[in-house]
Amino acid sequence: MTTTELAGPSATIDGMAAAAAGWIDVLNPATEAVIGHAPDCTAAQLDQAVAAARRAFPAWRATPLDERREALRRIAAALGENLEELKRLLTAEQGKPHADAAAEIGAAAWWIGVVADQPIPESISDAMPGQRAVTRHVPLGVVGGIVPWNFPVLLAIWKIGPALLTGNTLVLKPSPYTPLTTLRLGELLRPLLPPGVLNVISGCDALGPLMSAHPGIDKISFTGSTATGRKVMASAAVNLKRLTLELGGNDAAIVLPDADVDAIAEPLFWAAFANNGQVCVAAKRVYVHEAIYDQVAAALAAVASRMPTGDGADPASRLGPVQNRQQFERVRQLLADTRAAGHTFLTGGHEAEGPGYFVPVTLVDNPPEEARVVQEEAFGPILPLLKYRDVDEAVARANACEYGLGGSVWSSDIAAAAEVAARLETGTVWINSAQGLTPFAAFAGHKQSGLGAENGTEGLLEFTVPQTIYVPA
Ligand code: NAD
């Protein structure tokens, strides 16, 4: 195949389409058919993107803040105006149902609109007689944004918005499994931003390590697995890059004995299975008090039975396929391991017929704490339900984990739930819900779920460095 035969979104470097030296196939996970090709950018193209971002940086940081705010609003508008096209592309490459793809694009548009209005704090302190110390937050330079495949557009926007608002320029890399929507977004934004301010490159997994080791990149904002996060951290040492790492999780949901089972069944189901379980903050272990365990298990199985899994382009589908072959194999291995260990399934647990990476919603009935399906982040539609006797024991089991991303507590007594929530060693805890995040509040991973934060003032400031100027009073 020659490059000219391959129509598809191109990489954006210095405000222009970059010629592709090679291509990667992009599959629809519902059919396993190749639906497009993305440029396999070379190390030289990464250098070009970094150089373009570096050239654009002085003028962009000097651009009045109000104009940068306007630029973010233009990005929000572009997402809204192109929602239909982006939604179809996102479903085709990611697998999620059209309604969820539209919700992701809509959330991304709203999010960056909120970030556009976010204040960048400045503080003044009395330094010493005759002087004031003015501390402001200045941009770092060139940011590298590395994004996973579960929410390709929203998670890219989490990087584009704060990086550009604070005056940085950006080189953005989507996952090789889901590059098309992000590349298309890069194309749509070309006329809306000065050249070099936002560069979008795609490539195989070799490209990420080149970014985290690149001496011309000042910060990496990375979202992905903990294993990759460790590698990013090691290689970023080369020029002491600033790092924000949003990594994996194995979130516990704790259902207290007074929970209203009918009221929580559906939200608890979606807490675990939204996006087919492929959410960093999905409930991945559910601890249910023994007094209501059977009721909760039956209620969750009933909800599962009325949520059809299928091609995301089919309006009847509430859940799509697992996103890629590698993840599909991982989830199937967990199923096989669970079966081989003799644990029982309340629903699902079998292999689905191909083509497509389909796994039926699977609930595992009270496996032992040390089972792989409890200890490992499944990142797919397989969920263990676990019985506990007293709340201290549930909290201890929830916290006995290398991750510390999120968690949730389910109860009719909000004050009691809040007390339990405060004991979880995680960056976010929800009561009677899960997964909802806002641009107004910090989202951080404790333990090996991350470093730093995204969103909120804390997240915004991660794209800056403090500068204190001592001014004669
Ligand atoms: P991944 O770590 O395999 O890949 C993430 C990104 O890193 C991709 O763009 C990939 O190409 C790139 N990459 C791969 N190897 C690299 C390296 N050595 N150096 C630099 N970049 C590299 O993760 P994934 O499978 O795409 O995503 C699933 C994981 O992401 C799950 O563990 C999930 O919990 C986590 N996640 C976390 C959050 C969060 O905010 N905490 C959000 C979504 C997903």
Side-chain angles (χ1 to χ4, degrees):
M1 242 181 227
T2 67
T3 51
T4 47
E5 281 172 314
L6 293 168
S10 49
T12 299
I13 298 177
D14 208 10
M16 292 177 289
W23 300 91
I24 48 178
D25 289 347
V26 182
L27 270 60
N28 180 338
T31 61
E32 298 177 60
V34 175
I35 49 138
H37 305 271
D40 189 6
C41 290
T42 59
Q45 287 180 309
L46 169 62
D47 289 344
Q48 287 163 15
V50 172
R54 179 65 56 198
R55 276 195 306 277
F57 176 56
W60 184 247
R61 81 176 291 176
T63 300
L65 179 57
D66 279 345
E67 284 180 34
R68 297 205 301 265
R69 293 191 189 285
E70 273 308 313
L72 264 58
R73 291 184 194 111
R74 288 196 296 272
I75 296 174
L79 282 160
E81 285 155 17
N82 295 283
L83 188 142
E84 204 47 41
E85 178 197 348
L86 294 172
K87 170 192 95 176
R88 289 184 188 284
L89 198 51
L90 183 56
T91 292
E93 67 174 344
Q94 206 284 336
K96 64 183 66 185
H98 273 155
D100 294 351
E104 178 175 345
I105 313 283
W110 174 72
W111 212 282
I112 197 163
V114 170
V115 173
D117 293 329
Q118 225 177 336
I120 306 176
E122 199 173 283
S123 61
I124 301 177
S125 32
D126 291 330
M128 50 194 84
Q131 272 188 334
R132 283 176 301 131
V134 180
T135 303
R136 57 201 201 106
H137 297 276
V138 300
L140 290 157
V142 177
V143 173
I146 302 180
V147 180
W149 45 258
N150 57 346
F151 289 91
V153 178
L154 184 61
L155 297 178
I157 286 297
W158 285 18
K159 305 191 187 314
I160 296 172
L164 268 45
L165 184 75
T166 48
N168 300 278
T169 55
L170 187 66
V171 177
L172 182 70
K173 189 196 86 63
S175 164
Y177 293 117
T178 53
L180 298 178
T181 320
T182 314
L183 289 164
R184 179 70 188 124
L185 183 63
E187 290 183 338
L188 292 168
L189 300 184
R190 273 179 211 157
L192 307 184
L193 293 165
V197 167
L198 172 63
N199 306 274
V200 183
I201 58 174
S202 60
C204 59
D205 268 339
L207 197 55
L210 291 175
M211 286 176 71
S212 57
H214 202 292
I217 295 181
D218 302 294
K219 172 193 170 78
I220 292 281
S221 175
F222 172 85
T223 307
S225 63
T226 296
T228 309
R230 285 192 199 101
K231 293 184 194 160
V232 169
M233 192 170 180
S235 65
V238 61
N239 61 338
L240 230 59
K241 281 185 187 64
R242 271 57 180 174
L243 283 178
T244 303
L245 303 176
E246 291 291 358
L247 308 176
N250 194 5
D251 293 11
I254 299 179
V255 184
L256 300 182
D258 69 344
D260 177 341
V261 176
D262 291 338
I264 69 165
E266 196 154 328
L268 184 55
F269 175 85
W270 288 116
F273 292 104
N275 209 34
N276 226 358
Q278 302 166 120
V279 183
C280 52
V281 286
K284 293 172 182 145
R285 307 173 275 159
V286 178
Y287 293 94
V288 187
H289 192 270
E290 60 183 6
I292 55 168
Y293 179 90
D294 291 344
Q295 250 181 299
V296 171
L300 282 177
V303 178
S305 70
R306 46 174 209 269
M307 298 300 173
T309 295
D311 188 327
D314 176 349
S317 304
R318 297 295 304 273
L319 293 165
V322 171
Q323 201 281 320
N324 59 69
R325 161 73 55 188
Q326 191 185 327
Q327 189 59 28
F328 181 55
E329 294 303 341
R330 194 182 140 58
V331 172
R332 291 210 301 190
Q333 247 183 33
L334 272 181
L335 280 179
D337 180 84
T338 305
R339 252 195 321 264
H343 312 318
T344 47
F345 297 103
L346 293 160
T347 181
H350 54 275
E351 312 284 322
E353 293 288 314
Y357 307 139
F358 290 104
V359 176
V361 168
T362 296
L363 294 168
V364 186
D365 186 12
N366 198 28
E369 192 68 16
E370 56 280 5
R372 274 187 62 195
V373 72
V374 181
Q375 292 300 319
E376 295 180 21
E377 178 187 36
F379 220 64
I382 170 165
L383 177 74
L385 302 186
L386 302 140
K387 232 178 252 189
Y388 73 87
R389 186 156 287 176
D390 81 46
V391 74
D392 290 345
E393 170 211 335
V395 170
R397 288 163 74 183
N399 284 339
C401 180
E402 65 173 6
Y403 295 115
L405 195 57
S408 56
V409 185
W410 303 73
S411 168
S412 300
D413 180 341
I414 303 300
E419 272 179 35
V420 176
R423 295 170 63 194
L424 294 183
E425 297 165 356
T426 62
T428 306
V429 191
W430 293 267
I431 294 170
N432 292 339
S433 72
Q435 299 201 13
L437 294 169
T438 148
F440 301 105
F443 172 55
H446 291 193
K447 303 186 197 173
Q448 294 193 43
S449 284
L451 197 71
E454 288 191 291
N455 304 324
T457 303
E458 292 88 344
L460 188 72
L461 294 184
E462 298 234 342
F463 289 86
T464 67
V465 66
Q467 181 190 50
T468 299
I469 303 182
Y470 286 86
V471 185

PDB file of all heavy atoms in Angstrom, residues 237-249:
ATOM      1  N   ALA A 237      13.865  10.736  34.154  1.00  0.00           N
ATOM      2  CA  ALA A 237      14.945  11.284  34.984  1.00  0.00           C
ATOM      3  C   ALA A 237      16.015  11.978  34.141  1.00  0.00           C
ATOM      4  O   ALA A 237      16.749  12.823  34.646  1.00  0.00           O
ATOM      5  CB  ALA A 237      15.588  10.169  35.819  1.00  0.00           C
ATOM      6  N   VAL A 238      16.062  11.646  32.852  1.00  0.00           N
ATOM      7  CA  VAL A 238      17.140  12.136  31.997  1.00  0.00           C
ATOM      8  C   VAL A 238      17.285  13.654  32.069  1.00  0.00           C
ATOM      9  O   VAL A 238      18.394  14.177  32.102  1.00  0.00           O
ATOM     10  CB  VAL A 238      16.931  11.631  30.535  1.00  0.00           C
ATOM     11  CG1 VAL A 238      15.629  12.127  29.933  1.00  0.00           C
ATOM     12  CG2 VAL A 238      18.070  12.040  29.646  1.00  0.00           C
ATOM     13  N   ASN A 239      16.174  14.387  32.086  1.00  0.00           N
ATOM     14  CA  ASN A 239      16.267  15.855  32.240  1.00  0.00           C
ATOM     15  C   ASN A 239      15.366  16.341  33.378  1.00  0.00           C
ATOM     16  O   ASN A 239      14.883  17.453  33.363  1.00  0.00           O
ATOM     17  CB  ASN A 239      15.932  16.579  30.932  1.00  0.00           C
ATOM     18  CG  ASN A 239      14.522  16.291  30.448  1.00  0.00           C
ATOM     19  OD1 ASN A 239      13.919  15.281  30.823  1.00  0.00           O
ATOM     20  ND2 ASN A 239      13.980  17.154  29.625  1.00  0.00           N
ATOM     21  N   LEU A 240      15.166  15.451  34.332  1.00  0.00           N
ATOM     22  CA  LEU A 240      14.348  15.789  35.502  1.00  0.00           C
ATOM     23  C   LEU A 240      12.987  16.354  35.096  1.00  0.00           C
ATOM     24  O   LEU A 240      12.548  17.375  35.592  1.00  0.00           O
ATOM     25  CB  LEU A 240      15.108  16.796  36.375  1.00  0.00           C
ATOM     26  CG  LEU A 240      15.197  16.448  37.856  1.00  0.00           C
ATOM     27  CD1 LEU A 240      15.872  15.115  38.070  1.00  0.00           C
ATOM     28  CD2 LEU A 240      15.945  17.538  38.610  1.00  0.00           C
ATOM     29  N   LYS A 241      12.336  15.637  34.180  1.00  0.00           N
ATOM     30  CA  LYS A 241      11.007  16.071  33.733  1.00  0.00           C
ATOM     31  C   LYS A 241      10.041  16.113  34.898  1.00  0.00           C
ATOM     32  O   LYS A 241      10.079  15.257  35.771  1.00  0.00           O
ATOM     33  CB  LYS A 241      10.439  15.058  32.733  1.00  0.00           C
ATOM     34  CG  LYS A 241      10.974  15.178  31.357  1.00  0.00           C
ATOM     35  CD  LYS A 241      10.256  14.200  30.439  1.00  0.00           C
ATOM     36  CE  LYS A 241      10.913  14.198  29.088  1.00  0.00           C
ATOM     37  NZ  LYS A 241      12.292  13.706  29.109  1.00  0.00           N
ATOM     38  N   ARG A 242       9.150  17.102  34.871  1.00  0.00           N
ATOM     39  CA  ARG A 242       8.006  17.060  35.779  1.00  0.00           C
ATOM     40  C   ARG A 242       7.097  15.945  35.306  1.00  0.00           C
ATOM     41  O   ARG A 242       7.010  15.670  34.097  1.00  0.00           O
ATOM     42  CB  ARG A 242       7.254  18.390  35.733  1.00  0.00           C
ATOM     43  CG  ARG A 242       7.758  19.422  36.706  1.00  0.00           C
ATOM     44  CD  ARG A 242       9.205  19.708  36.514  1.00  0.00           C
ATOM     45  NE  ARG A 242       9.690  20.710  37.471  1.00  0.00           N
ATOM     46  CZ  ARG A 242      10.951  21.057  37.584  1.00  0.00           C
ATOM     47  NH1 ARG A 242      11.885  20.466  36.842  1.00  0.00           N
ATOM     48  NH2 ARG A 242      11.322  21.970  38.452  1.00  0.00           N
ATOM     49  N   LEU A 243       6.419  15.333  36.256  1.00  0.00           N
ATOM     50  CA  LEU A 243       5.589  14.176  35.902  1.00  0.00           C
ATOM     51  C   LEU A 243       4.223  14.263  36.563  1.00  0.00           C
ATOM     52  O   LEU A 243       4.116  14.588  37.743  1.00  0.00           O
ATOM     53  CB  LEU A 243       6.228  12.890  36.428  1.00  0.00           C
ATOM     54  CG  LEU A 243       7.407  12.308  35.672  1.00  0.00           C
ATOM     55  CD1 LEU A 243       7.903  11.048  36.403  1.00  0.00           C
ATOM     56  CD2 LEU A 243       7.015  11.958  34.239  1.00  0.00           C
ATOM     57  N   THR A 244       3.205  13.994  35.796  1.00  0.00           N
ATOM     58  CA  THR A 244       1.919  13.651  36.397  1.00  0.00           C
ATOM     59  C   THR A 244       1.595  12.255  35.879  1.00  0.00           C
ATOM     60  O   THR A 244       1.592  12.023  34.659  1.00  0.00           O
ATOM     61  CB  THR A 244       0.810  14.636  35.974  1.00  0.00           C
ATOM     62  OG1 THR A 244       1.213  15.952  36.342  1.00  0.00           O
ATOM     63  CG2 THR A 244      -0.505  14.308  36.670  1.00  0.00           C
ATOM     64  N   LEU A 245       1.369  11.344  36.797  1.00  0.00           N
ATOM     65  CA  LEU A 245       1.078   9.960  36.412  1.00  0.00           C
ATOM     66  C   LEU A 245      -0.294   9.585  36.956  1.00  0.00           C
ATOM     67  O   LEU A 245      -0.501   9.618  38.170  1.00  0.00           O
ATOM     68  CB  LEU A 245       2.142   9.011  36.982  1.00  0.00           C
ATOM     69  CG  LEU A 245       3.603   9.283  36.602  1.00  0.00           C
ATOM     70  CD1 LEU A 245       4.540   8.295  37.328  1.00  0.00           C
ATOM     71  CD2 LEU A 245       3.813   9.164  35.092  1.00  0.00           C
ATOM     72  N   GLU A 246      -1.222   9.286  36.056  1.00  0.00           N
ATOM     73  CA  GLU A 246      -2.533   8.762  36.462  1.00  0.00           C
ATOM     74  C   GLU A 246      -2.557   7.302  36.044  1.00  0.00           C
ATOM     75  O   GLU A 246      -2.597   6.995  34.851  1.00  0.00           O
ATOM     76  CB  GLU A 246      -3.664   9.535  35.774  1.00  0.00           C
ATOM     77  CG  GLU A 246      -3.808  10.972  36.252  1.00  0.00           C
ATOM     78  CD  GLU A 246      -4.308  11.116  37.675  1.00  0.00           C
ATOM     79  OE1 GLU A 246      -4.605  10.087  38.327  1.00  0.00           O
ATOM     80  OE2 GLU A 246      -4.396  12.261  38.154  1.00  0.00           O
ATOM     81  N   LEU A 247      -2.530   6.407  37.028  1.00  0.00           N
ATOM     82  CA  LEU A 247      -2.235   5.007  36.702  1.00  0.00           C
ATOM     83  C   LEU A 247      -3.398   4.079  37.042  1.00  0.00           C
ATOM     84  O   LEU A 247      -4.543   4.496  37.127  1.00  0.00           O
ATOM     85  CB  LEU A 247      -0.937   4.607  37.414  1.00  0.00           C
ATOM     86  CG  LEU A 247       0.254   5.560  37.158  1.00  0.00           C
ATOM     87  CD1 LEU A 247       1.472   5.148  37.968  1.00  0.00           C
ATOM     88  CD2 LEU A 247       0.592   5.646  35.684  1.00  0.00           C
ATOM     89  N   GLY A 248      -3.080   2.839  37.258  1.00  0.00           N
ATOM     90  CA  GLY A 248      -4.121   1.829  37.448  1.00  0.00           C
ATOM     91  C   GLY A 248      -4.775   1.886  38.815  1.00  0.00           C
ATOM     92  O   GLY A 248      -4.362   2.638  39.706  1.00  0.00           O
ATOM     93  N   GLY A 249      -5.812   1.086  38.961  1.00  0.00           N
ATOM     94  CA  GLY A 249      -6.509   1.019  40.241  1.00  0.00           C
ATOM     95  C   GLY A 249      -7.161  -0.340  40.415  1.00  0.00           C
ATOM     96  O   GLY A 249      -7.320  -1.093  39.445  1.00  0.00           O
TER      97      GLY A 249
END
